[in-house]
Amino acid sequence: MYKVDEIRKLFPMLNPQKTMQGKPLVFLDNSSTTFKPTCVIDALDKYYREETSNSHRGDYDLCYNMDQELLEARKAVANFVNCDVNEVVFTSGTTMSINLVAWCYGMKFLKEGDEILLSEAEHASNLLPWYKVASLKGAKLSFVPLDKEGRVTLENVKKALNKNTKIVSLAHIGNVMGFMIDVKGIAKAAHEVGAIMVVDGAQSVPHIKTNFKDWDIDFLAFSSHKMCGPTGVGALIGKYELLEKMDPLFSGGGMNITFDTNGDVEYLEAPVKFESGTLNLAGIMGFKAAINFIDELGIDNIHLHERELREYAINELEKLDNVIMYNKNAEGSMITFNVKGVFAQDEATLLNSKGIAVRSGQHCAKILNGFLETPATVRMSIALYTNKGDIDAFVEALRNGGDILDAYFND
């Protein structure tokens, strides 16, 4: 374990003098994005101040150095999730990564009558690309039934699989309910019927140890900004033999070997053929710094810290009679709740007045509302730098919130 209050000193946004609404800032919207440590900010600054160059486009030292830095960043990502270096495609984040699979794999290999298996708990980024591709290819969308708690279980996945299932695309940890799927078991079941397994790792990769090879999944998508790295950069991990079969979505400089006036084009091998144009090199340098930062802390230590804080928060919330929790038993770092008689956005606005940042609404998982039987919820989410003081301030605000709302509406 690490000393969280020492770690907090490495994050400029957690400066004790930082306020919101005139109150000390308590940031509990970490499932949306995370704060950045100084080492990540320094990596961005270093690129712009000392290393600015393109990659794979120049025969001079600056460009060669950036080529090497890019390779080292690819290696860092590969080591972090246990895949081969040539299976790492740099993207703008989870959304682009899943879109690449949908358009570059789905559009090429799906046929009319094929099925794509999803769940009602998925984020829009893991639904809308499949909706579009299915409509264009004449494929069918199927949804794994959630159990009574809201989980996607291996048993229910097996029941939903059939000979027509060609793609299974699920979040490892959902961004609303926070339940973890048996990704290895589901991948095995998918492969047995001839389907591929796509995993949205946006809410899992930053928090738990990821093992692409051992899980035997086919694609994994995740974002840098949810793991203390920069916005606008992420990765798609794909089995190399599948990446090789796919055509690139974007075309341009840096991803081809040659082309001519006849329209003939020869592409580079994966992963580079998916990385047309100038990459977000500064972001990738920050991404690598974030991975190194997490590695130094230890992903298992981070997971343990977040689990202990979540259990503490659950215990404190259970002492309140005005809070409805929807996912007490979840493995993820978030707690999704409502306050009795209070609309979710009103509750989030009240918490904002106390300096507490949470998320309210549908959390980009709009079809989950039917299962939850509520139009919106509030989500608080924990990160590696969250401490007990954050939880105490949050719980205290909920404890006193009813009186404040009563006074507001009575006035």
Side-chain angles (χ1 to χ4, degrees):
M1 288 293 289
Y2 52 84
K3 295 181 180 179
V4 65
D5 289 333
E6 292 300 311
I7 295 301
R8 288 171 70 90
K9 295 176 183 177
L10 304 177
F11 289 80
M13 285 292 291
L14 292 173
N15 185 317
Q17 306 305 315
K18 182 73 175 176
T19 62
M20 188 169 71
Q21 292 286 317
K23 307 290 193 307
L25 174 62
V26 175
F27 191 75
L28 294 173
D29 192 21
N30 297 286
S31 289
S32 177
T33 198
T34 50
F35 290 159
K36 322 305 174 190
T38 302
C39 62
V40 169
I41 298 169
D42 288 347
L44 295 169
D45 186 71
K46 184 178 180 182
Y47 172 80
Y48 288 119
R49 290 183 182 275
E50 302 176 22
E51 300 176 331
T52 299
S53 170
N54 216 319
S55 61
H56 307 305
R57 287 168 173 81
D59 299 310
Y60 50 89
D61 287 354
L62 282 175
C63 192
Y64 172 78
N65 293 340
M66 187 48 53
D67 293 345
Q68 298 307 114
E69 289 281 0
L70 184 60
L71 177 59
E72 290 304 310
R74 211 181 294 273
K75 287 179 181 178
V77 174
N79 291 335
F80 191 70
V81 300
N82 191 29
C83 71
D84 293 335
V85 175
N86 62 2
E87 295 177 321
V88 178
V89 179
F90 285 116
T91 69
S92 65
T94 305
T95 299
M96 180 179 173
S97 295
I98 296 175
N99 269 274
L100 279 178
V101 181
W103 291 99
C104 301
Y105 182 91
M107 282 296 292
K108 185 171 184 177
F109 295 108
L110 284 174
K111 301 185 299 297
E112 186 174 354
D114 288 344
E115 293 188 13
I116 305 166
L117 186 59
L118 309 163
S119 90
E120 294 177 29
E122 301 306 311
H123 189 282
S125 294
N126 196 32
L127 291 177
L128 300 187
W130 299 117
Y131 283 16
K132 187 64 175 178
V133 168
S135 70
L136 292 172
K137 298 293 291 185
K140 178 184 176 183
L141 299 170
S142 298
F143 293 85
V144 183
L146 303 178
D147 73 1
K148 292 182 179 179
E149 196 176 15
R151 292 180 179 272
V152 174
T153 65
L154 175 58
E155 180 183 6
N156 282 348
V157 170
K158 286 182 175 180
K159 290 178 181 178
L161 289 169
N162 61 72
K163 64 180 182 180
N164 295 319
T165 308
K166 301 304 177 186
I167 296 173
V168 179
S169 191
L170 300 168
H172 190 190
I173 293 178
N175 75 303
V176 179
M177 302 299 283
F179 294 130
M180 184 187 301
I181 66 170
D182 178 359
V183 66
K184 187 174 182 178
I186 293 174
K188 182 175 183 293
H191 293 156
E192 287 174 352
V193 300
I196 65 161
M197 178 70 179
V198 183
V199 176
D200 173 356
Q203 301 295 340
S204 62
V205 173
H207 304 283
I208 61 172
K209 190 171 182 61
T210 302
N211 196 325
F212 182 79
K213 287 185 178 180
D214 180 65
W215 295 346
D216 194 26
I217 57 180
D218 299 288
F219 295 99
L220 172 69
F222 60 101
S223 299
S224 163
H225 74 98
K226 295 182 188 292
M227 50 192 292
C228 299
T231 56
V233 64
L236 170 65
I237 313 300
K239 286 183 177 176
Y240 188 74
E241 60 268 26
L242 295 181
L243 292 176
E244 276 292 276
K245 294 176 182 178
M246 293 157 53
D247 298 324
L249 177 59
F250 302 114
S251 299
M255 45 76 75
N256 65 84
I257 298 173
T258 185
F259 55 89
D260 58 31
T261 56
N262 294 321
D264 299 320
V265 183
E266 184 179 0
Y267 296 122
L268 291 165
E269 295 180 351
V272 182
K273 70 176 178 179
F274 299 102
E275 297 174 347
S276 62
T278 297
L279 292 172
N280 180 2
L281 295 171
I284 291 170
M285 297 304 101
F287 192 7
K288 180 180 72 171
I291 288 173
N292 292 340
F293 178 77
I294 290 174
D295 279 338
E296 287 178 12
L297 289 182
I299 192 70
D300 291 335
N301 291 331
I302 291 170
H303 180 63
L304 180 59
H305 167 76
E306 293 175 348
R307 292 304 301 167
E308 288 183 350
L309 266 190
R310 189 180 187 278
E311 289 174 13
Y312 175 71
I314 292 288
N315 290 335
E316 293 301 304
L317 290 173
E318 285 183 326
K319 298 174 183 177
L320 306 181
D321 59 8
N322 64 333
V323 174
I324 304 167
M325 285 184 279
Y326 298 95
N327 62 340
K328 285 195 293 185
N329 300 317
E331 294 82 5
S333 66
M334 68 286 291
I335 300 172
T336 301
F337 68 97
N338 272 322
V339 174
K340 295 177 182 178
V342 181
F343 183 58
Q345 191 170 8
D346 291 335
E347 185 59 42
T349 302
L350 172 64
L351 291 171
N352 175 69
S353 73
K354 295 288 187 178
I356 300 168
V358 295
R359 174 80 178 269
S360 67
Q362 299 171 336
H363 318 292
C364 298
K366 298 179 187 298
I367 59 176
L368 187 60
N369 294 338
F371 175 84
L372 294 175
E373 298 181 343
T374 181
T377 56
V378 186
R379 183 188 69 190
M380 67 84 78
S381 46
I382 294 165
L384 60 89
Y385 45 69
T386 308
N387 64 12
K388 281 190 174 182
D390 293 331
I391 304 301
D392 290 339
F394 165 69
V395 173
E396 187 62 24
L398 289 177
R399 179 180 290 114
N400 297 325
D403 295 338
I404 295 172
L405 282 172
D406 286 343
Y408 174 79
F409 287 116
N410 287 336
D411 288 346

